[in-house]
Amino acid sequence: MKSKIPEFAVVGHPNEGKSSVLSTLAEDDSVRISPIPGETRECRRFPVRIDGREIIAFIDTPGFQNPRRSLQWMRDYQGPDERLLIDFISAHENDPAFHDDCRLLRPLIDGAGIIFVVDGSRPVRNMDRAEMEILRLTGRPRMAIINNKEEETGFLDQWQLEFRKHFNAIRVFNSNRATYAERIALLESLKAIDQDIEETLEFVIQAFAEDWSARNRKTADLIITLLKEVLSYQRTVSPPEGKNEEEVRNRMREKFNQFVRKRERATYQRIRRLFKHNIFSPQLPAHSILNEDIFAEKTWSFLGLTSKQLILAGALSGAALAAGIDVAAGGASLGIFTAMGGVFGAAATAARGKDLLTGTRLLGIRLDHEQLRIGPVKSPQMMYILLDRALLFYHWIINWAHGRRDYPDQDKTGNAELEKREMTAGWSREEQRICERFFQAVTTNDEAALLSRTGEMRRLLMKKLSALSTKEKSRPVSNG
Ligand SMILES: Nc1nc2c(ncn2[C@@H]2O[C@H](COP(=O)(O)OP(=O)(O)OP(=O)(O)O)[C@@H](O)[C@H]2O)c(=O)[nH]1
Ligand SMILES: [Mg+2]
């Protein structure tokens, strides 16, 4: 039985980035992409499923093999328009010189719309004009996508001029950098290519948006669970006789650190899966603060609240400020990924790092009836550090396009940067209070307050996640 969901064949010249565009659009990292032209030889359908239900499908196709001769045949064709594709395929299907052309055109007979992909960083050639003309002759609704593989933008005007003759919509969409907002914007433009599918696409866009908020809600819940587990951490040991108490304390502390690292890693894995990075694991740039251990002094001097803010929140004494150690606040205006280049000196590190990391300021450890008790967490800075790291991770993962397969550290695009003002130190006092109340409820195990504090925290996180996911980076070139 034929499905009624909208289908689009992604077509174009070999190696222009068709499969990459599809992979990003469909958020499917199982699509085969390769620098060698001719990677895709057969059509493959990639449906997008939401809650197990297919809502739209994209078809990966081989690149045009013989566009000029195919066009010539079509121009000489005498039969009825509606039989053009069927007759073309039956005339060429056994000719190896037209293998790919027959394959890529077949989905159009079955009713698929066209998404034509070109690498706009090179000039328009006659071959491209032939391909565009073939697509126009098919009479199917069609959109052109400019996927710039290189930084070069000098040929864009040329492309747009050509596109206006042949397509119903044009859009710049980079398979390696497109964000969620840009995917939605592309679907919006796709509506313009055919009135008949406008309504269906409206439904698809709605479903995409709802699915995205559902993922954000799940992400918020995962972060909250992580916070609760870490902040309420409590263990008790009876130090064996004759054992050095200091050693036991250190071991307890190390166990806590291990627990936090493990739980954090597991949370990130889940977030990664929520955003459908199933096969490839996006790599952080070498200079990312997330590459630092969560208990590294560097982490504690870059992330979380400033000393001043902590004092304001009653988590640090004014003496710390008097001692002149609030230099860390100087990082407030710096992008967190770029700030790593040694801007911070030892003073800042001493302020928020060492002070909290050593001793018992972070985690209470006390002797109680011959037993050593550790936890719960005493400093809210632990919560802010976890929050900042999770937000950084989230921002990184949602901006890693599924079609991007270049792993080495070459992120010059800047889309991984999260400004300090978008992290907890930049949150309003009221927002920080929500965090403090949550911290209170968790660490004092105040069951009565916990439910409403968790609700507040979830709403706050949802707001932050949604703000991070709707930053649009490119605009449509033209729509008609
Ligand atoms: N830098 C950069 N590389 C890209 C971009 N889009 C695609 N590529 C690379 O270009 C090469 C070809 O990409 P594919 O998506 O496999 O191209 P295709 O059009 O499907 O190619 P065929 O299946 O061979 O027709 C791969 O090495 C991609 O990683 C881009 O936006 N930027
Ligand atoms: Mg391909």
Side-chain angles (χ1 to χ4, degrees):
M1 195 182 78
K2 227 180 119 211
S3 65
K4 283 241 166 55
I5 61 168
E7 292 194 344
F8 294 91
V10 182
V11 303
H13 204 70
N15 211 38
E16 297 283 280
K18 301 178 295 294
S19 301
S20 308
V21 162
L22 187 150
S23 176
T24 293
L25 255 181
E27 288 190 302
D28 189 328
D29 60 0
S30 74
V31 181
R32 289 183 60 155
I33 291 167
S34 151
I36 302 157
E39 175 66 24
T40 312
R41 292 304 309 279
E42 301 293 335
C43 287
R44 199 179 141 195
R45 188 172 172 276
F46 291 90
V48 176
R49 292 191 185 87
I50 292 182
D51 297 330
R53 193 170 141 214
E54 289 189 8
I55 59 160
I56 189 169
F58 300 98
I59 301 159
D60 199 14
T61 70
F64 281 100
Q65 186 178 2
N66 220 326
R68 290 208 194 108
R69 280 175 61 198
S70 300
L71 176 61
Q72 198 50 53
W73 188 94
M74 288 181 181
R75 279 186 171 147
D76 297 341
Y77 177 71
Q78 302 284 324
D81 284 354
E82 65 278 11
R83 286 199 55 88
L84 174 78
L85 286 176
I86 299 169
D87 290 343
F88 174 86
I89 292 173
S90 31
H92 296 92
E93 108 191 291
N94 296 320
D95 185 345
F98 293 87
H99 171 278
D100 295 355
D101 305 273
C102 290
R103 292 288 192 286
L104 80 95
L105 292 171
R106 187 174 289 285
L108 307 182
I109 299 178
D110 299 332
I114 296 168
I115 294 179
F116 181 62
V117 174
V118 298
D119 171 10
S121 53
R122 58 163 184 83
V124 184
R125 304 161 304 195
N126 279 337
M127 185 109 73
D128 305 308
R129 293 191 182 94
E131 292 170 5
M132 293 188 232
E133 184 59 13
I134 291 172
L135 296 177
R136 197 182 63 81
L137 290 175
T138 68
R140 298 297 307 151
R142 55 206 174 273
M143 163 182 230
I145 284 185
I146 303 172
N147 169 53
N148 271 23
K149 281 168 72 170
E150 314 285 334
E151 295 297 316
E152 176 64 60
T153 53
F155 302 109
L156 287 181
D157 289 349
Q158 235 183 67
W159 279 109
Q160 282 173 45
L161 206 67
E162 291 295 335
F163 281 163
R164 287 204 181 100
K165 300 180 208 159
H166 298 94
F167 293 92
N168 319 96
I170 307 165
R171 210 169 165 98
V172 173
F173 182 85
N174 187 280
S175 64
N176 278 211
R177 288 197 294 267
T179 58
Y180 158 72
E182 284 159 352
R183 283 196 294 119
I184 295 283
L186 190 131
L187 290 173
E188 286 282 355
S189 313
L190 214 43
K191 283 197 300 194
I193 72 172
D194 186 3
Q195 275 201 335
D196 293 346
I197 53 168
E198 210 180 315
E199 212 173 301
T200 328
L201 277 178
E202 190 50 58
F203 168 79
V204 171
I205 292 167
Q206 191 69 32
F208 266 54
E210 280 165 19
D211 181 51
W212 194 269
S213 343
R215 287 188 224 174
N216 279 351
R217 194 162 44 246
K218 284 178 194 155
T219 303
D221 283 337
L222 284 169
I223 297 174
I224 285 174
T225 304
L226 172 70
L227 292 178
K228 283 184 177 170
E229 284 176 345
V230 170
L231 302 177
S232 68
Y233 182 93
Q234 265 175 297
R235 299 287 187 275
T236 311
V237 278
S238 321
E241 207 131 325
K243 196 111 194 211
N244 181 334
E245 193 189 305
E246 191 59 24
E247 219 173 89
V248 179
R249 279 171 186 260
N250 288 344
R251 268 196 46 212
M252 287 175 94
R253 187 46 210 276
E254 189 45 39
K255 274 198 171 155
F256 168 73
N257 289 6
Q258 293 296 3
F259 173 82
V260 177
R261 291 185 189 113
K262 203 169 144 209
R263 286 299 307 123
E264 196 189 39
R265 254 195 318 272
T267 305
Y268 290 179
Q269 277 310 315
R270 286 190 167 156
I271 295 174
R272 193 189 120 197
R273 292 252 151 68
L274 271 181
F275 290 89
K276 304 192 185 180
H277 288 283
N278 295 316
I279 298 174
F280 298 102
S281 177
Q283 275 185 13
L284 290 158
H287 54 285
S288 166
I289 184 90
L290 274 187
N291 290 317
E292 294 292 325
D293 183 71
I294 183 164
F295 293 106
E297 284 181 19
K298 245 182 185 170
T299 301
W300 286 67
S301 54
F302 283 116
L303 306 180
L305 300 196
T306 64
S307 316
K308 249 185 201 160
Q309 289 173 317
L310 284 174
I311 289 163
L312 213 65
L316 262 191
S317 75
L321 192 65
I325 53 173
D326 71 327
V327 199
S333 59
L334 293 168
I336 212 67
F337 280 110
T338 48
M340 289 293 289
V343 183
F344 281 82
T349 306
R352 293 188 294 144
K354 254 199 188 115
D355 212 33
L356 284 175
L357 279 170
T358 53
T360 54
R361 296 186 78 153
L362 176 66
L363 213 55
I365 302 184
R366 60 192 184 284
L367 200 58
D368 182 13
H369 296 99
E370 310 280 299
Q371 288 201 315
L372 272 177
R373 289 178 182 278
I374 184 170
V377 167
K378 272 165 67 180
S379 168
Q381 187 73 324
M382 182 78 243
M383 163 181 65
Y384 290 118
I385 301 269
L386 283 165
L387 278 171
D388 278 349
R389 283 171 60 94
L391 289 176
L392 279 167
F393 182 81
Y394 169 83
H395 192 243
W396 175 246
I397 206 83
I398 64 162
N399 282 309
W400 188 280
H402 289 73
R404 184 173 165 185
R405 301 292 160 81
D406 52 318
Y407 281 33
D409 179 36
Q410 57 102 273
D411 191 65
K412 301 180 193 86
T413 62
N415 70 0
E417 241 187 48
L418 186 50
E419 290 299 324
K420 188 80 179 164
R421 68 188 140 78
E422 290 176 271
M423 304 174 59
T424 50
W427 291 4
S428 72
R429 194 64 202 109
E430 184 40 44
E431 289 168 339
Q432 288 170 2
R433 274 202 200 95
I434 292 175
C435 299
E436 282 155 28
R437 288 196 290 265
F438 173 77
F439 181 84
Q440 272 298 321
V442 174
T443 52
T444 56
N445 200 14
D446 180 350
E447 296 239 354
L450 205 52
L451 200 64
S452 64
R453 299 311 182 209
T454 301
E456 264 183 345
M457 190 69 179
R458 184 184 291 112
R459 280 191 296 280
L460 172 64
L461 278 176
M462 288 281 294
K463 188 175 88 181
K464 297 294 176 187
L465 297 177
S466 145
L468 286 176
S469 41
T470 48
K471 285 185 185 168
E472 199 179 341
K473 287 194 184 73
S474 80
R475 270 163 284 115
V477 172
S478 120
N479 246 343

PDB file of all heavy atoms in Angstrom, residues 10 13-20 22 31-34 36-42 60-63, ligand 2:
ATOM      1  N   VAL A  10      16.142  13.625  -3.094  1.00  0.00           N
ATOM      2  CA  VAL A  10      17.243  14.579  -3.052  1.00  0.00           C
ATOM      3  C   VAL A  10      18.166  14.249  -4.219  1.00  0.00           C
ATOM      4  O   VAL A  10      18.785  13.184  -4.253  1.00  0.00           O
ATOM      5  CB  VAL A  10      17.987  14.487  -1.699  1.00  0.00           C
ATOM      6  CG1 VAL A  10      19.100  15.518  -1.640  1.00  0.00           C
ATOM      7  CG2 VAL A  10      17.012  14.691  -0.543  1.00  0.00           C
ATOM      8  N   HIS A  13      24.087  16.566  -8.961  1.00  0.00           N
ATOM      9  CA  HIS A  13      25.295  16.028  -9.557  1.00  0.00           C
ATOM     10  C   HIS A  13      26.035  15.189  -8.517  1.00  0.00           C
ATOM     11  O   HIS A  13      25.894  15.449  -7.324  1.00  0.00           O
ATOM     12  CB  HIS A  13      26.169  17.196 -10.040  1.00  0.00           C
ATOM     13  CG  HIS A  13      27.087  16.792 -11.129  1.00  0.00           C
ATOM     14  ND1 HIS A  13      26.624  16.486 -12.389  1.00  0.00           N
ATOM     15  CD2 HIS A  13      28.426  16.602 -11.147  1.00  0.00           C
ATOM     16  CE1 HIS A  13      27.653  16.142 -13.134  1.00  0.00           C
ATOM     17  NE2 HIS A  13      28.751  16.202 -12.401  1.00  0.00           N
ATOM     18  N   PRO A  14      26.866  14.196  -8.951  1.00  0.00           N
ATOM     19  CA  PRO A  14      27.609  13.410  -7.942  1.00  0.00           C
ATOM     20  C   PRO A  14      28.502  14.287  -7.059  1.00  0.00           C
ATOM     21  O   PRO A  14      29.037  15.290  -7.513  1.00  0.00           O
ATOM     22  CB  PRO A  14      28.486  12.480  -8.805  1.00  0.00           C
ATOM     23  CG  PRO A  14      27.774  12.383 -10.116  1.00  0.00           C
ATOM     24  CD  PRO A  14      27.091  13.697 -10.307  1.00  0.00           C
ATOM     25  N   ASN A  15      28.570  13.882  -5.817  1.00  0.00           N
ATOM     26  CA  ASN A  15      29.504  14.480  -4.853  1.00  0.00           C
ATOM     27  C   ASN A  15      29.204  15.920  -4.415  1.00  0.00           C
ATOM     28  O   ASN A  15      30.066  16.589  -3.864  1.00  0.00           O
ATOM     29  CB  ASN A  15      30.933  14.410  -5.429  1.00  0.00           C
ATOM     30  CG  ASN A  15      31.967  14.272  -4.320  1.00  0.00           C
ATOM     31  OD1 ASN A  15      31.730  13.586  -3.336  1.00  0.00           O
ATOM     32  ND2 ASN A  15      33.090  14.936  -4.456  1.00  0.00           N
ATOM     33  N   GLU A  16      27.995  16.398  -4.675  1.00  0.00           N
ATOM     34  CA  GLU A  16      27.683  17.782  -4.304  1.00  0.00           C
ATOM     35  C   GLU A  16      27.215  17.908  -2.861  1.00  0.00           C
ATOM     36  O   GLU A  16      27.070  19.006  -2.341  1.00  0.00           O
ATOM     37  CB  GLU A  16      26.580  18.339  -5.222  1.00  0.00           C
ATOM     38  CG  GLU A  16      26.953  18.415  -6.659  1.00  0.00           C
ATOM     39  CD  GLU A  16      27.875  19.606  -6.969  1.00  0.00           C
ATOM     40  OE1 GLU A  16      27.363  20.719  -7.086  1.00  0.00           O
ATOM     41  OE2 GLU A  16      29.089  19.399  -7.089  1.00  0.00           O
ATOM     42  N   GLY A  17      26.931  16.761  -2.236  1.00  0.00           N
ATOM     43  CA  GLY A  17      26.470  16.801  -0.851  1.00  0.00           C
ATOM     44  C   GLY A  17      25.016  16.392  -0.684  1.00  0.00           C
ATOM     45  O   GLY A  17      24.385  16.706   0.331  1.00  0.00           O
ATOM     46  N   LYS A  18      24.470  15.658  -1.648  1.00  0.00           N
ATOM     47  CA  LYS A  18      23.064  15.227  -1.555  1.00  0.00           C
ATOM     48  C   LYS A  18      22.828  14.386  -0.308  1.00  0.00           C
ATOM     49  O   LYS A  18      21.908  14.637   0.469  1.00  0.00           O
ATOM     50  CB  LYS A  18      22.668  14.377  -2.782  1.00  0.00           C
ATOM     51  CG  LYS A  18      22.824  15.085  -4.105  1.00  0.00           C
ATOM     52  CD  LYS A  18      22.453  14.178  -5.277  1.00  0.00           C
ATOM     53  CE  LYS A  18      23.365  12.979  -5.442  1.00  0.00           C
ATOM     54  NZ  LYS A  18      24.747  13.341  -5.805  1.00  0.00           N
ATOM     55  N   SER A  19      23.689  13.369  -0.139  1.00  0.00           N
ATOM     56  CA  SER A  19      23.499  12.470   1.009  1.00  0.00           C
ATOM     57  C   SER A  19      23.725  13.212   2.321  1.00  0.00           C
ATOM     58  O   SER A  19      23.054  12.944   3.320  1.00  0.00           O
ATOM     59  CB  SER A  19      24.448  11.280   0.906  1.00  0.00           C
ATOM     60  OG  SER A  19      24.203  10.576  -0.298  1.00  0.00           O
ATOM     61  N   SER A  20      24.651  14.168   2.312  1.00  0.00           N
ATOM     62  CA  SER A  20      24.918  14.940   3.530  1.00  0.00           C
ATOM     63  C   SER A  20      23.707  15.794   3.905  1.00  0.00           C
ATOM     64  O   SER A  20      23.310  15.858   5.075  1.00  0.00           O
ATOM     65  CB  SER A  20      26.126  15.858   3.325  1.00  0.00           C
ATOM     66  OG  SER A  20      27.229  15.145   2.833  1.00  0.00           O
ATOM     67  N   LEU A  22      20.622  15.232   3.075  1.00  0.00           N
ATOM     68  CA  LEU A  22      19.563  14.334   3.523  1.00  0.00           C
ATOM     69  C   LEU A  22      19.804  13.897   4.974  1.00  0.00           C
ATOM     70  O   LEU A  22      18.891  13.900   5.805  1.00  0.00           O
ATOM     71  CB  LEU A  22      19.497  13.113   2.606  1.00  0.00           C
ATOM     72  CG  LEU A  22      18.326  12.176   2.858  1.00  0.00           C
ATOM     73  CD1 LEU A  22      17.923  11.496   1.571  1.00  0.00           C
ATOM     74  CD2 LEU A  22      18.610  11.131   3.911  1.00  0.00           C
ATOM     75  N   VAL A  31      23.152   7.525   7.022  1.00  0.00           N
ATOM     76  CA  VAL A  31      23.257   7.799   5.585  1.00  0.00           C
ATOM     77  C   VAL A  31      24.723   7.715   5.163  1.00  0.00           C
ATOM     78  O   VAL A  31      25.602   8.228   5.848  1.00  0.00           O
ATOM     79  CB  VAL A  31      22.717   9.213   5.261  1.00  0.00           C
ATOM     80  CG1 VAL A  31      22.809   9.497   3.761  1.00  0.00           C
ATOM     81  CG2 VAL A  31      21.284   9.368   5.737  1.00  0.00           C
ATOM     82  N   ARG A  32      24.973   7.052   4.028  1.00  0.00           N
ATOM     83  CA  ARG A  32      26.368   6.904   3.567  1.00  0.00           C
ATOM     84  C   ARG A  32      26.860   8.139   2.828  1.00  0.00           C
ATOM     85  O   ARG A  32      26.244   8.590   1.874  1.00  0.00           O
ATOM     86  CB  ARG A  32      26.482   5.665   2.679  1.00  0.00           C
ATOM     87  CG  ARG A  32      26.362   4.388   3.489  1.00  0.00           C
ATOM     88  CD  ARG A  32      26.549   3.197   2.607  1.00  0.00           C
ATOM     89  NE  ARG A  32      27.879   3.232   1.994  1.00  0.00           N
ATOM     90  CZ  ARG A  32      28.500   2.139   1.588  1.00  0.00           C
ATOM     91  NH1 ARG A  32      27.938   0.963   1.748  1.00  0.00           N
ATOM     92  NH2 ARG A  32      29.689   2.225   1.028  1.00  0.00           N
ATOM     93  N   ILE A  33      27.969   8.659   3.324  1.00  0.00           N
ATOM     94  CA  ILE A  33      28.556   9.886   2.775  1.00  0.00           C
ATOM     95  C   ILE A  33      30.025   9.599   2.489  1.00  0.00           C
ATOM     96  O   ILE A  33      30.678   8.914   3.266  1.00  0.00           O
ATOM     97  CB  ILE A  33      28.439  11.021   3.827  1.00  0.00           C
ATOM     98  CG1 ILE A  33      26.974  11.422   4.001  1.00  0.00           C
ATOM     99  CG2 ILE A  33      29.290  12.237   3.438  1.00  0.00           C
ATOM    100  CD1 ILE A  33      26.709  12.295   5.200  1.00  0.00           C
ATOM    101  N   SER A  34      30.524  10.095   1.354  1.00  0.00           N
ATOM    102  CA  SER A  34      31.929   9.840   1.058  1.00  0.00           C
ATOM    103  C   SER A  34      32.514  10.928   0.171  1.00  0.00           C
ATOM    104  O   SER A  34      31.803  11.506  -0.658  1.00  0.00           O
ATOM    105  CB  SER A  34      32.043   8.472   0.381  1.00  0.00           C
ATOM    106  OG  SER A  34      33.149   8.441  -0.477  1.00  0.00           O
ATOM    107  N   ILE A  36      34.426  10.431  -2.210  1.00  0.00           N
ATOM    108  CA  ILE A  36      34.589   9.897  -3.564  1.00  0.00           C
ATOM    109  C   ILE A  36      33.249   9.920  -4.302  1.00  0.00           C
ATOM    110  O   ILE A  36      32.265   9.343  -3.828  1.00  0.00           O
ATOM    111  CB  ILE A  36      35.144   8.451  -3.521  1.00  0.00           C
ATOM    112  CG1 ILE A  36      36.484   8.465  -2.771  1.00  0.00           C
ATOM    113  CG2 ILE A  36      35.283   7.860  -4.918  1.00  0.00           C
ATOM    114  CD1 ILE A  36      36.866   7.134  -2.185  1.00  0.00           C
ATOM    115  N   PRO A  37      33.180  10.601  -5.473  1.00  0.00           N
ATOM    116  CA  PRO A  37      31.916  10.685  -6.206  1.00  0.00           C
ATOM    117  C   PRO A  37      31.404   9.291  -6.561  1.00  0.00           C
ATOM    118  O   PRO A  37      32.201   8.380  -6.807  1.00  0.00           O
ATOM    119  CB  PRO A  37      32.282  11.442  -7.487  1.00  0.00           C
ATOM    120  CG  PRO A  37      33.600  12.089  -7.231  1.00  0.00           C
ATOM    121  CD  PRO A  37      34.286  11.293  -6.175  1.00  0.00           C
ATOM    122  N   GLY A  38      30.102   9.147  -6.549  1.00  0.00           N
ATOM    123  CA  GLY A  38      29.514   7.860  -6.904  1.00  0.00           C
ATOM    124  C   GLY A  38      29.269   6.962  -5.700  1.00  0.00           C
ATOM    125  O   GLY A  38      29.061   5.767  -5.842  1.00  0.00           O
ATOM    126  N   GLU A  39      29.280   7.540  -4.524  1.00  0.00           N
ATOM    127  CA  GLU A  39      29.039   6.744  -3.314  1.00  0.00           C
ATOM    128  C   GLU A  39      27.624   6.152  -3.325  1.00  0.00           C
ATOM    129  O   GLU A  39      27.411   4.996  -3.023  1.00  0.00           O
ATOM    130  CB  GLU A  39      29.246   7.621  -2.069  1.00  0.00           C
ATOM    131  CG  GLU A  39      28.920   6.950  -0.744  1.00  0.00           C
ATOM    132  CD  GLU A  39      29.868   5.795  -0.429  1.00  0.00           C
ATOM    133  OE1 GLU A  39      31.003   5.791  -0.945  1.00  0.00           O
ATOM    134  OE2 GLU A  39      29.452   4.888   0.322  1.00  0.00           O
ATOM    135  N   THR A  40      26.655   6.993  -3.669  1.00  0.00           N
ATOM    136  CA  THR A  40      25.271   6.513  -3.703  1.00  0.00           C
ATOM    137  C   THR A  40      24.974   5.985  -5.103  1.00  0.00           C
ATOM    138  O   THR A  40      25.029   6.727  -6.072  1.00  0.00           O
ATOM    139  CB  THR A  40      24.298   7.669  -3.353  1.00  0.00           C
ATOM    140  OG1 THR A  40      24.780   8.325  -2.182  1.00  0.00           O
ATOM    141  CG2 THR A  40      22.889   7.153  -3.118  1.00  0.00           C
ATOM    142  N   ARG A  41      24.687   4.685  -5.202  1.00  0.00           N
ATOM    143  CA  ARG A  41      24.400   4.108  -6.524  1.00  0.00           C
ATOM    144  C   ARG A  41      22.942   3.682  -6.675  1.00  0.00           C
ATOM    145  O   ARG A  41      22.442   3.506  -7.762  1.00  0.00           O
ATOM    146  CB  ARG A  41      25.304   2.889  -6.788  1.00  0.00           C
ATOM    147  CG  ARG A  41      26.780   3.189  -6.970  1.00  0.00           C
ATOM    148  CD  ARG A  41      27.085   4.200  -8.084  1.00  0.00           C
ATOM    149  NE  ARG A  41      26.502   3.963  -9.405  1.00  0.00           N
ATOM    150  CZ  ARG A  41      26.987   3.125 -10.313  1.00  0.00           C
ATOM    151  NH1 ARG A  41      28.056   2.418 -10.050  1.00  0.00           N
ATOM    152  NH2 ARG A  41      26.418   3.004 -11.482  1.00  0.00           N
ATOM    153  N   GLU A  42      22.275   3.491  -5.543  1.00  0.00           N
ATOM    154  CA  GLU A  42      20.865   3.072  -5.595  1.00  0.00           C
ATOM    155  C   GLU A  42      20.059   4.034  -4.722  1.00  0.00           C
ATOM    156  O   GLU A  42      20.592   4.623  -3.787  1.00  0.00           O
ATOM    157  CB  GLU A  42      20.705   1.656  -5.028  1.00  0.00           C
ATOM    158  CG  GLU A  42      21.514   0.580  -5.745  1.00  0.00           C
ATOM    159  CD  GLU A  42      21.045   0.311  -7.180  1.00  0.00           C
ATOM    160  OE1 GLU A  42      19.863   0.574  -7.477  1.00  0.00           O
ATOM    161  OE2 GLU A  42      21.873  -0.136  -7.998  1.00  0.00           O
ATOM    162  N   ASP A  60      17.363   9.209  -0.895  1.00  0.00           N
ATOM    163  CA  ASP A  60      18.722   9.463  -1.368  1.00  0.00           C
ATOM    164  C   ASP A  60      18.851   8.836  -2.746  1.00  0.00           C
ATOM    165  O   ASP A  60      18.369   7.720  -2.975  1.00  0.00           O
ATOM    166  CB  ASP A  60      19.734   8.844  -0.396  1.00  0.00           C
ATOM    167  CG  ASP A  60      21.120   9.448  -0.576  1.00  0.00           C
ATOM    168  OD1 ASP A  60      21.222  10.505  -1.239  1.00  0.00           O
ATOM    169  OD2 ASP A  60      22.095   8.877  -0.045  1.00  0.00           O
ATOM    170  N   THR A  61      19.471   9.559  -3.670  1.00  0.00           N
ATOM    171  CA  THR A  61      19.559   9.076  -5.047  1.00  0.00           C
ATOM    172  C   THR A  61      21.000   9.192  -5.560  1.00  0.00           C
ATOM    173  O   THR A  61      21.777   9.986  -5.038  1.00  0.00           O
ATOM    174  CB  THR A  61      18.660   9.929  -5.976  1.00  0.00           C
ATOM    175  OG1 THR A  61      19.245  11.238  -6.098  1.00  0.00           O
ATOM    176  CG2 THR A  61      17.244  10.065  -5.448  1.00  0.00           C
ATOM    177  N   PRO A  62      21.331   8.413  -6.607  1.00  0.00           N
ATOM    178  CA  PRO A  62      22.653   8.590  -7.214  1.00  0.00           C
ATOM    179  C   PRO A  62      22.686   9.913  -7.975  1.00  0.00           C
ATOM    180  O   PRO A  62      21.638  10.431  -8.357  1.00  0.00           O
ATOM    181  CB  PRO A  62      22.766   7.417  -8.184  1.00  0.00           C
ATOM    182  CG  PRO A  62      21.482   6.687  -8.172  1.00  0.00           C
ATOM    183  CD  PRO A  62      20.524   7.365  -7.263  1.00  0.00           C
ATOM    184  N   GLY A  63      23.874  10.445  -8.239  1.00  0.00           N
ATOM    185  CA  GLY A  63      23.984  11.692  -8.996  1.00  0.00           C
ATOM    186  C   GLY A  63      23.720  11.458 -10.480  1.00  0.00           C
ATOM    187  O   GLY A  63      23.809  10.327 -10.966  1.00  0.00           O
TER     188      GLY A  63
HETATM  189 MG    MG B   2      25.244  10.303  -2.038  1.00  0.00          MG
END
